[in-house]
Amino acid sequence: MAKLKEVYEIEGKRSTMEECVKMHVFREGNFFHLYEWSAWLLVIVEKMDLKVTHKEIKNLDGTLLMVGFPESSREKFLPADARTETLTENAFDVMVPVEKLGEGATPEYLAKVYAQWKESVPVEKLKEKTKKEENKDSSGSQALATVSSDNHGAKSVRPVSVIMHDILRFQVESHTPLDCMFFLVKLKEELSFLY
């Protein structure tokens, strides 16, 4: 993994639109990894269906988002026609067309959208916690959650952040209208317990 200090330093520089469109890609062995803002650009803006990992960092008061894919899948996940800039032997930038960020988007607006997305991705807790503590965190009163029933009438609880993550990952353009309707009905049913 790239050094955390380096990742946070690079990903923290998003004060101009020129910086906002850069996806920083790190080659780590036979894999490419993107962190924080760059992961958001790839998953949400470029609409790539990748598993997002969101971990607490032990030596840092915070969390880290990451996506990755094999080097052999580069053409599948990184836009072939995108402008690139080599930084080092193991790092390069891919520029996302500014039009994909929305007309009139500002760095401040994009920072808010990114922060909301980051908040919606479930955090993997540090392994130091026991299973009992993790269960308490995920089902306690601190976590806003929804209740749904399975086919046998049993109740299950899903945090709203997990539902938000599902919404953000659902790609309407790749589903039939009927699939979209069922997805919406399922969400409505889950969220109806909040009101």
Side-chain angles (χ1 to χ4, degrees):
M1 186 167 99
K3 294 180 181 176
L4 288 179
K5 183 178 179 183
E6 179 184 358
V7 167
Y8 276 104
E9 185 177 304
I10 290 171
E11 291 299 330
K13 295 178 182 176
R14 303 291 182 169
S15 59
T16 67
M17 284 305 289
E18 184 177 283
E19 293 164 340
C20 288
V21 299
K22 289 182 181 180
M23 287 191 291
H24 304 294
V25 183
F26 296 90
R27 178 182 287 119
E28 297 165 3
N30 293 328
F31 283 83
F32 288 124
H33 288 119
L34 291 85
Y35 300 93
E36 297 290 316
W37 187 286
S38 296
W40 171 69
L41 285 173
L42 186 62
V43 172
I44 301 302
V45 177
E46 288 291 340
K47 297 181 173 86
M48 293 296 165
D49 190 21
L50 290 164
K51 180 185 183 311
V52 180
T53 304
H54 192 185
K55 293 185 176 182
E56 283 185 332
I57 304 300
K58 188 175 185 176
N59 300 332
L60 191 70
D61 280 340
T63 61
L64 180 71
L65 286 167
M66 179 186 87
V67 296
F69 54 90
E71 190 174 351
S72 60
S73 298
R74 178 180 178 159
E75 291 78 31
K76 179 179 177 183
F77 294 109
L78 295 178
D81 60 342
R83 191 168 51 97
T84 61
E85 182 180 307
T86 302
L87 301 175
T88 68
E89 181 181 331
N90 293 316
F92 60 94
D93 287 344
V94 176
M95 310 322 168
V96 173
V98 73
E99 306 82 55
K100 289 189 175 184
L101 298 175
E103 191 176 322
T106 64
E108 295 80 17
Y109 170 76
L110 294 172
K112 287 178 188 174
V113 173
Y114 161 73
Q116 289 172 342
W117 174 73
K118 181 174 181 174
E119 212 173 280
S120 75
V121 179
V123 178
E124 293 178 20
K125 302 292 180 188
L126 292 173
K127 292 181 181 180
E128 294 178 80
K129 288 188 173 184
T130 64
K131 290 279 185 194
K132 198 174 192 178
E133 289 171 322
E134 286 180 6
N135 288 340
K136 184 179 178 185
D137 284 350
S138 65
S139 63
S141 60
Q142 295 174 342
L144 184 57
T146 64
V147 180
S148 61
S149 299
D150 62 17
N151 292 339
H152 307 290
K155 301 280 186 190
S156 63
V157 177
R158 282 188 3 131
V160 170
S161 62
V162 173
I163 293 172
M164 290 298 298
H165 183 65
D166 288 350
I167 292 169
L168 291 171
R169 289 185 56 111
F170 188 81
Q171 296 180 0
V172 174
E173 62 277 0
S174 63
H175 290 84
T176 66
L178 194 58
D179 289 338
C180 294
M181 184 187 74
F182 284 128
F183 181 72
L184 184 60
V185 168
K186 179 185 153 209
L187 288 173
K188 188 175 176 182
E189 183 178 292
E190 285 187 278
L191 293 171
S192 69
F193 290 96
L194 293 175
Y195 302 102

mmCIF file of all heavy atoms in Angstrom, residues 68-103:
data_model
loop_
_atom_site.group_PDB
_atom_site.id
_atom_site.type_symbol
_atom_site.label_atom_id
_atom_site.label_comp_id
_atom_site.label_asym_id
_atom_site.label_seq_id
_atom_site.Cartn_x
_atom_site.Cartn_y
_atom_site.Cartn_z
ATOM 1 N N GLY A 68 -9.522 -1.076 -5.694
ATOM 2 C CA GLY A 68 -8.389 -1.631 -6.401
ATOM 3 C C GLY A 68 -8.841 -2.615 -7.459
ATOM 4 O O GLY A 68 -9.957 -3.129 -7.416
ATOM 5 N N PHE A 69 -7.951 -2.864 -8.408
ATOM 6 C CA PHE A 69 -8.231 -3.825 -9.465
ATOM 7 C C PHE A 69 -6.896 -4.290 -10.038
ATOM 8 O O PHE A 69 -5.876 -3.604 -9.925
ATOM 9 C CB PHE A 69 -9.129 -3.211 -10.549
ATOM 10 C CG PHE A 69 -8.616 -1.919 -11.124
ATOM 11 C CD1 PHE A 69 -7.785 -1.917 -12.229
ATOM 12 C CD2 PHE A 69 -8.973 -0.712 -10.550
ATOM 13 C CE1 PHE A 69 -7.319 -0.732 -12.760
ATOM 14 C CE2 PHE A 69 -8.511 0.479 -11.072
ATOM 15 C CZ PHE A 69 -7.673 0.477 -12.191
ATOM 16 N N PRO A 70 -6.900 -5.491 -10.648
ATOM 17 C CA PRO A 70 -5.657 -6.018 -11.217
ATOM 18 C C PRO A 70 -5.156 -5.152 -12.372
ATOM 19 O O PRO A 70 -5.949 -4.566 -13.116
ATOM 20 C CB PRO A 70 -6.041 -7.410 -11.731
ATOM 21 C CG PRO A 70 -7.396 -7.695 -11.223
ATOM 22 C CD PRO A 70 -8.017 -6.404 -10.802
ATOM 23 N N GLU A 71 -3.858 -5.108 -12.516
ATOM 24 C CA GLU A 71 -3.241 -4.341 -13.601
ATOM 25 C C GLU A 71 -3.756 -4.815 -14.961
ATOM 26 O O GLU A 71 -3.927 -4.015 -15.876
ATOM 27 C CB GLU A 71 -1.718 -4.505 -13.519
ATOM 28 C CG GLU A 71 -0.944 -3.596 -14.419
ATOM 29 C CD GLU A 71 0.558 -3.688 -14.188
ATOM 30 O OE1 GLU A 71 1.005 -4.326 -13.224
ATOM 31 O OE2 GLU A 71 1.283 -3.104 -15.015
ATOM 32 N N SER A 72 -4.057 -6.100 -15.072
ATOM 33 C CA SER A 72 -4.550 -6.656 -16.337
ATOM 34 C C SER A 72 -5.934 -6.116 -16.722
ATOM 35 O O SER A 72 -6.354 -6.243 -17.859
ATOM 36 C CB SER A 72 -4.594 -8.184 -16.258
ATOM 37 O OG SER A 72 -5.459 -8.600 -15.224
ATOM 38 N N SER A 73 -6.643 -5.500 -15.768
ATOM 39 C CA SER A 73 -7.979 -4.948 -16.029
ATOM 40 C C SER A 73 -7.965 -3.439 -16.229
ATOM 41 O O SER A 73 -9.005 -2.789 -16.173
ATOM 42 C CB SER A 73 -8.918 -5.286 -14.867
ATOM 43 O OG SER A 73 -9.057 -6.660 -14.747
ATOM 44 N N ARG A 74 -6.802 -2.892 -16.470
ATOM 45 C CA ARG A 74 -6.673 -1.433 -16.600
ATOM 46 C C ARG A 74 -7.642 -0.848 -17.625
ATOM 47 O O ARG A 74 -8.318 0.137 -17.357
ATOM 48 C CB ARG A 74 -5.241 -1.068 -16.968
ATOM 49 C CG ARG A 74 -5.042 0.424 -17.157
ATOM 50 C CD ARG A 74 -3.621 0.769 -17.510
ATOM 51 N NE ARG A 74 -3.498 2.207 -17.718
ATOM 52 C CZ ARG A 74 -2.368 2.864 -17.639
ATOM 53 N NH1 ARG A 74 -1.256 2.228 -17.366
ATOM 54 N NH2 ARG A 74 -2.337 4.162 -17.840
ATOM 55 N N GLU A 75 -7.730 -1.455 -18.804
ATOM 56 C CA GLU A 75 -8.599 -0.929 -19.864
ATOM 57 C C GLU A 75 -10.070 -0.953 -19.456
ATOM 58 O O GLU A 75 -10.854 -0.130 -19.894
ATOM 59 C CB GLU A 75 -8.416 -1.723 -21.169
ATOM 60 C CG GLU A 75 -7.068 -1.503 -21.837
ATOM 61 C CD GLU A 75 -5.931 -2.285 -21.165
ATOM 62 O OE1 GLU A 75 -6.189 -3.382 -20.616
ATOM 63 O OE2 GLU A 75 -4.798 -1.787 -21.160
ATOM 64 N N LYS A 76 -10.443 -1.909 -18.628
ATOM 65 C CA LYS A 76 -11.838 -2.034 -18.192
ATOM 66 C C LYS A 76 -12.232 -0.913 -17.225
ATOM 67 O O LYS A 76 -13.350 -0.404 -17.274
ATOM 68 C CB LYS A 76 -12.045 -3.396 -17.520
ATOM 69 C CG LYS A 76 -13.450 -3.622 -17.016
ATOM 70 C CD LYS A 76 -13.582 -4.990 -16.378
ATOM 71 C CE LYS A 76 -14.978 -5.186 -15.808
ATOM 72 N NZ LYS A 76 -15.112 -6.464 -15.115
ATOM 73 N N PHE A 77 -11.315 -0.526 -16.339
ATOM 74 C CA PHE A 77 -11.674 0.416 -15.279
ATOM 75 C C PHE A 77 -11.182 1.847 -15.478
ATOM 76 O O PHE A 77 -11.744 2.766 -14.908
ATOM 77 C CB PHE A 77 -11.189 -0.105 -13.930
ATOM 78 C CG PHE A 77 -11.892 -1.358 -13.498
ATOM 79 C CD1 PHE A 77 -11.242 -2.577 -13.487
ATOM 80 C CD2 PHE A 77 -13.232 -1.323 -13.141
ATOM 81 C CE1 PHE A 77 -11.901 -3.732 -13.101
ATOM 82 C CE2 PHE A 77 -13.903 -2.467 -12.758
ATOM 83 C CZ PHE A 77 -13.231 -3.676 -12.743
ATOM 84 N N LEU A 78 -10.146 2.036 -16.255
ATOM 85 C CA LEU A 78 -9.653 3.392 -16.480
ATOM 86 C C LEU A 78 -9.983 3.804 -17.904
ATOM 87 O O LEU A 78 -9.705 3.059 -18.836
ATOM 88 C CB LEU A 78 -8.141 3.468 -16.240
ATOM 89 C CG LEU A 78 -7.694 3.206 -14.809
ATOM 90 C CD1 LEU A 78 -6.174 3.254 -14.720
ATOM 91 C CD2 LEU A 78 -8.311 4.193 -13.829
ATOM 92 N N PRO A 79 -10.587 4.974 -18.082
ATOM 93 C CA PRO A 79 -10.988 5.416 -19.423
ATOM 94 C C PRO A 79 -9.791 5.452 -20.373
ATOM 95 O O PRO A 79 -8.777 6.088 -20.089
ATOM 96 C CB PRO A 79 -11.538 6.823 -19.191
ATOM 97 C CG PRO A 79 -11.746 6.949 -17.722
ATOM 98 C CD PRO A 79 -10.850 5.959 -17.060
ATOM 99 N N ALA A 80 -9.908 4.730 -21.488
ATOM 100 C CA ALA A 80 -8.806 4.626 -22.456
ATOM 101 C C ALA A 80 -8.474 5.970 -23.098
ATOM 102 O O ALA A 80 -7.313 6.256 -23.384
ATOM 103 C CB ALA A 80 -9.161 3.602 -23.522
ATOM 104 N N ASP A 81 -9.490 6.819 -23.299
ATOM 105 C CA ASP A 81 -9.268 8.098 -23.965
ATOM 106 C C ASP A 81 -8.907 9.232 -23.005
ATOM 107 O O ASP A 81 -8.745 10.368 -23.427
ATOM 108 C CB ASP A 81 -10.506 8.478 -24.782
ATOM 109 C CG ASP A 81 -11.756 8.607 -23.919
ATOM 110 O OD1 ASP A 81 -11.754 8.081 -22.786
ATOM 111 O OD2 ASP A 81 -12.722 9.223 -24.383
ATOM 112 N N ALA A 82 -8.773 8.910 -21.735
ATOM 113 C CA ALA A 82 -8.483 9.951 -20.743
ATOM 114 C C ALA A 82 -7.023 10.401 -20.837
ATOM 115 O O ALA A 82 -6.134 9.626 -21.169
ATOM 116 C CB ALA A 82 -8.779 9.442 -19.342
ATOM 117 N N ARG A 83 -6.844 11.645 -20.518
ATOM 118 C CA ARG A 83 -5.489 12.208 -20.473
ATOM 119 C C ARG A 83 -4.802 11.697 -19.208
ATOM 120 O O ARG A 83 -5.407 11.671 -18.130
ATOM 121 C CB ARG A 83 -5.594 13.736 -20.444
ATOM 122 C CG ARG A 83 -4.288 14.465 -20.668
ATOM 123 C CD ARG A 83 -4.528 15.948 -20.910
ATOM 124 N NE ARG A 83 -5.354 16.568 -19.908
ATOM 125 C CZ ARG A 83 -4.887 17.257 -18.854
ATOM 126 N NH1 ARG A 83 -3.603 17.402 -18.675
ATOM 127 N NH2 ARG A 83 -5.713 17.802 -17.999
ATOM 128 N N THR A 84 -3.561 11.249 -19.313
ATOM 129 C CA THR A 84 -2.826 10.754 -18.152
ATOM 130 C C THR A 84 -1.536 11.537 -17.975
ATOM 131 O O THR A 84 -1.038 12.166 -18.907
ATOM 132 C CB THR A 84 -2.485 9.247 -18.293
ATOM 133 O OG1 THR A 84 -1.661 9.072 -19.428
ATOM 134 C CG2 THR A 84 -3.732 8.408 -18.404
ATOM 135 N N GLU A 85 -1.020 11.468 -16.758
ATOM 136 C CA GLU A 85 0.223 12.153 -16.434
ATOM 137 C C GLU A 85 1.012 11.247 -15.493
ATOM 138 O O GLU A 85 0.517 10.876 -14.420
ATOM 139 C CB GLU A 85 -0.120 13.476 -15.736
ATOM 140 C CG GLU A 85 1.051 14.332 -15.383
ATOM 141 C CD GLU A 85 0.602 15.621 -14.692
ATOM 142 O OE1 GLU A 85 -0.262 16.323 -15.264
ATOM 143 O OE2 GLU A 85 1.092 15.892 -13.590
ATOM 144 N N THR A 86 2.211 10.864 -15.888
ATOM 145 C CA THR A 86 3.039 9.990 -15.064
ATOM 146 C C THR A 86 3.672 10.809 -13.951
ATOM 147 O O THR A 86 4.252 11.866 -14.196
ATOM 148 C CB THR A 86 4.135 9.322 -15.926
ATOM 149 O OG1 THR A 86 3.498 8.597 -16.969
ATOM 150 C CG2 THR A 86 4.976 8.383 -15.084
ATOM 151 N N LEU A 87 3.543 10.309 -12.712
ATOM 152 C CA LEU A 87 4.130 10.991 -11.563
ATOM 153 C C LEU A 87 5.448 10.317 -11.162
ATOM 154 O O LEU A 87 6.467 10.969 -11.003
ATOM 155 C CB LEU A 87 3.161 10.974 -10.388
ATOM 156 C CG LEU A 87 1.799 11.630 -10.637
ATOM 157 C CD1 LEU A 87 0.883 11.436 -9.447
ATOM 158 C CD2 LEU A 87 1.977 13.108 -10.935
ATOM 159 N N THR A 88 5.394 9.008 -10.955
ATOM 160 C CA THR A 88 6.573 8.211 -10.622
ATOM 161 C C THR A 88 6.448 6.886 -11.356
ATOM 162 O O THR A 88 5.473 6.656 -12.078
ATOM 163 C CB THR A 88 6.667 7.936 -9.103
ATOM 164 O OG1 THR A 88 5.598 7.063 -8.724
ATOM 165 C CG2 THR A 88 6.626 9.208 -8.279
ATOM 166 N N GLU A 89 7.388 5.999 -11.118
ATOM 167 C CA GLU A 89 7.335 4.675 -11.737
ATOM 168 C C GLU A 89 6.077 3.913 -11.319
ATOM 169 O O GLU A 89 5.530 3.130 -12.082
ATOM 170 C CB GLU A 89 8.583 3.883 -11.330
ATOM 171 C CG GLU A 89 8.661 2.512 -11.934
ATOM 172 C CD GLU A 89 9.898 1.756 -11.472
ATOM 173 O OE1 GLU A 89 10.923 2.396 -11.171
ATOM 174 O OE2 GLU A 89 9.833 0.523 -11.407
ATOM 175 N N ASN A 90 5.593 4.174 -10.103
ATOM 176 C CA ASN A 90 4.441 3.447 -9.572
ATOM 177 C C ASN A 90 3.220 4.317 -9.307
ATOM 178 O O ASN A 90 2.339 3.932 -8.535
ATOM 179 C CB ASN A 90 4.838 2.718 -8.285
ATOM 180 C CG ASN A 90 5.820 1.605 -8.561
ATOM 181 O OD1 ASN A 90 5.649 0.851 -9.518
ATOM 182 N ND2 ASN A 90 6.859 1.514 -7.754
ATOM 183 N N ALA A 91 3.153 5.478 -9.915
ATOM 184 C CA ALA A 91 1.990 6.349 -9.707
ATOM 185 C C ALA A 91 1.768 7.213 -10.942
ATOM 186 O O ALA A 91 2.715 7.660 -11.582
ATOM 187 C CB ALA A 91 2.203 7.229 -8.482
ATOM 188 N N PHE A 92 0.492 7.400 -11.268
ATOM 189 C CA PHE A 92 0.135 8.274 -12.380
ATOM 190 C C PHE A 92 -1.239 8.864 -12.111
ATOM 191 O O PHE A 92 -1.997 8.372 -11.279
ATOM 192 C CB PHE A 92 0.182 7.545 -13.727
ATOM 193 C CG PHE A 92 -0.734 6.360 -13.841
ATOM 194 C CD1 PHE A 92 -2.006 6.487 -14.391
ATOM 195 C CD2 PHE A 92 -0.331 5.110 -13.406
ATOM 196 C CE1 PHE A 92 -2.853 5.398 -14.513
ATOM 197 C CE2 PHE A 92 -1.160 4.005 -13.523
ATOM 198 C CZ PHE A 92 -2.426 4.148 -14.073
ATOM 199 N N ASP A 93 -1.549 9.941 -12.818
ATOM 200 C CA ASP A 93 -2.845 10.601 -12.713
ATOM 201 C C ASP A 93 -3.647 10.338 -13.978
ATOM 202 O O ASP A 93 -3.090 10.307 -15.076
ATOM 203 C CB ASP A 93 -2.695 12.117 -12.545
ATOM 204 C CG ASP A 93 -2.201 12.516 -11.171
ATOM 205 O OD1 ASP A 93 -2.260 11.684 -10.250
ATOM 206 O OD2 ASP A 93 -1.746 13.674 -11.024
ATOM 207 N N VAL A 94 -4.949 10.170 -13.797
ATOM 208 C CA VAL A 94 -5.880 10.069 -14.914
ATOM 209 C C VAL A 94 -6.852 11.233 -14.749
ATOM 210 O O VAL A 94 -7.424 11.413 -13.670
ATOM 211 C CB VAL A 94 -6.656 8.726 -14.899
ATOM 212 C CG1 VAL A 94 -7.678 8.684 -16.020
ATOM 213 C CG2 VAL A 94 -5.698 7.551 -14.997
ATOM 214 N N MET A 95 -7.017 12.033 -15.791
ATOM 215 C CA MET A 95 -7.887 13.202 -15.713
ATOM 216 C C MET A 95 -9.303 12.837 -16.155
ATOM 217 O O MET A 95 -9.517 12.329 -17.245
ATOM 218 C CB MET A 95 -7.387 14.336 -16.607
ATOM 219 C CG MET A 95 -5.937 14.712 -16.473
ATOM 220 S SD MET A 95 -5.263 14.681 -14.819
ATOM 221 C CE MET A 95 -3.547 14.817 -15.173
ATOM 222 N N VAL A 96 -10.263 13.116 -15.280
ATOM 223 C CA VAL A 96 -11.674 12.910 -15.593
ATOM 224 C C VAL A 96 -12.163 14.160 -16.314
ATOM 225 O O VAL A 96 -11.889 15.281 -15.864
ATOM 226 C CB VAL A 96 -12.485 12.694 -14.281
ATOM 227 C CG1 VAL A 96 -13.976 12.646 -14.564
ATOM 228 C CG2 VAL A 96 -12.018 11.450 -13.562
ATOM 229 N N PRO A 97 -12.867 14.019 -17.425
ATOM 230 C CA PRO A 97 -13.392 15.215 -18.096
ATOM 231 C C PRO A 97 -14.257 16.036 -17.130
ATOM 232 O O PRO A 97 -15.123 15.494 -16.448
ATOM 233 C CB PRO A 97 -14.233 14.647 -19.240
ATOM 234 C CG PRO A 97 -13.673 13.285 -19.481
ATOM 235 C CD PRO A 97 -13.220 12.788 -18.130
ATOM 236 N N VAL A 98 -14.007 17.320 -17.054
ATOM 237 C CA VAL A 98 -14.697 18.190 -16.105
ATOM 238 C C VAL A 98 -16.210 18.163 -16.307
ATOM 239 O O VAL A 98 -16.967 18.342 -15.345
ATOM 240 C CB VAL A 98 -14.110 19.629 -16.156
ATOM 241 C CG1 VAL A 98 -14.526 20.343 -17.422
ATOM 242 C CG2 VAL A 98 -14.498 20.420 -14.926
ATOM 243 N N GLU A 99 -16.678 17.895 -17.524
ATOM 244 C CA GLU A 99 -18.122 17.843 -17.796
ATOM 245 C C GLU A 99 -18.808 16.753 -16.964
ATOM 246 O O GLU A 99 -19.986 16.858 -16.651
ATOM 247 C CB GLU A 99 -18.401 17.557 -19.279
ATOM 248 C CG GLU A 99 -17.739 18.468 -20.276
ATOM 249 C CD GLU A 99 -16.283 18.074 -20.571
ATOM 250 O OE1 GLU A 99 -15.992 16.930 -20.945
ATOM 251 O OE2 GLU A 99 -15.436 18.968 -20.415
ATOM 252 N N LYS A 100 -18.074 15.696 -16.632
ATOM 253 C CA LYS A 100 -18.658 14.597 -15.859
ATOM 254 C C LYS A 100 -18.946 14.988 -14.414
ATOM 255 O O LYS A 100 -19.684 14.306 -13.718
ATOM 256 C CB LYS A 100 -17.744 13.371 -15.887
ATOM 257 C CG LYS A 100 -17.717 12.695 -17.232
ATOM 258 C CD LYS A 100 -16.991 11.375 -17.158
ATOM 259 C CE LYS A 100 -17.071 10.652 -18.484
ATOM 260 N NZ LYS A 100 -16.464 9.323 -18.405
ATOM 261 N N LEU A 101 -18.361 16.082 -13.962
ATOM 262 C CA LEU A 101 -18.580 16.536 -12.588
ATOM 263 C C LEU A 101 -19.824 17.408 -12.465
ATOM 264 O O LEU A 101 -20.230 17.750 -11.364
ATOM 265 C CB LEU A 101 -17.358 17.296 -12.074
ATOM 266 C CG LEU A 101 -16.070 16.474 -12.004
ATOM 267 C CD1 LEU A 101 -14.907 17.359 -11.600
ATOM 268 C CD2 LEU A 101 -16.219 15.311 -11.040
ATOM 269 N N GLY A 102 -20.414 17.759 -13.573
ATOM 270 C CA GLY A 102 -21.635 18.565 -13.544
ATOM 271 C C GLY A 102 -21.368 20.008 -13.909
ATOM 272 O O GLY A 102 -20.339 20.570 -13.531
ATOM 273 N N GLU A 103 -22.320 20.573 -14.619
ATOM 274 C CA GLU A 103 -22.197 21.962 -15.054
ATOM 275 C C GLU A 103 -22.203 22.885 -13.845
ATOM 276 O O GLU A 103 -23.035 22.775 -12.951
ATOM 277 C CB GLU A 103 -23.362 22.313 -15.987
ATOM 278 C CG GLU A 103 -23.168 23.629 -16.699
ATOM 279 C CD GLU A 103 -24.282 23.905 -17.694
ATOM 280 O OE1 GLU A 103 -24.738 22.940 -18.344
ATOM 281 O OE2 GLU A 103 -24.682 25.071 -17.790
#
